[in-house]
Each structure stands twice: as structure tokens, then as C-alpha cells.
Amino acid sequence: MIEIVKLKYSDENKINLICFHYAGGGANFFRNWTCFIPNTINLLSVRLPGRENLFSYPAYRNLDDIIDALSI
């Protein structure tokens, strides 16, 4: 299970900035970026299993599995 966290979002925006946290981090790491991103850009963060409120889910060990899960 992967979650996309909409930190700053509008349906009218055509540009999405999708952020991946560092090893050991979480999706909320990018929350303070909202004041630096123009209102014309969506700021999205990926919450991976094994982090934050997804802590009970097993973590991915392979980047290909993450990409597959995001492309669904």
C-alpha cells in the first residue's frame, strides 16, 4: 500500500511535483515546502509502507515494486 499525500493541490494545476522521502523519513518531511511552491504547482508526497501511519505494512525492498504500485 502506497499513499499519495496532497500537501498543496488544485485540480486546475497542470504541474505535479511528486516528492519521495529519504531513507528513514516520511511524507510529512515536505510539508514546510508549501510556502515555497507557487500556487500553480501541486505538491504531492509519497508515503511508503513501513512509514508514518502505514507503519504496520511491510516495507518495499525493491524500487521496481514501488514503481509498479505507483503506476496502477
Side-chain angles (χ1 to χ4, degrees):
M1 168 172 220
I2 293 179
E3 289 181 353
I4 302 296
V5 180
K6 296 177 181 179
L7 300 172
K8 186 173 193 174
Y9 185 83
S10 171
D11 286 330
E12 297 174 6
N13 293 346
K14 295 182 181 179
I15 299 173
N16 293 319
L17 176 59
I18 303 171
C19 302
F20 291 83
H21 58 77
Y22 58 93
N28 286 320
F29 174 80
F30 303 99
R31 188 161 303 282
N32 66 343
W33 287 24
T34 58
C35 60
F36 302 107
I37 302 297
N39 290 332
T40 57
I41 298 175
N42 292 329
L43 178 62
L44 309 170
S45 184
V46 176
R47 180 174 289 140
L48 296 171
R51 301 284 178 226
E52 298 173 320
N53 63 328
L54 298 180
F55 191 74
S56 62
Y57 293 91
Y60 285 109
R61 301 202 180 270
N62 183 316
L63 183 59
D64 290 332
D65 293 339
I66 294 171
I67 293 168
D68 288 343
L70 285 171
S71 62
I72 292 176

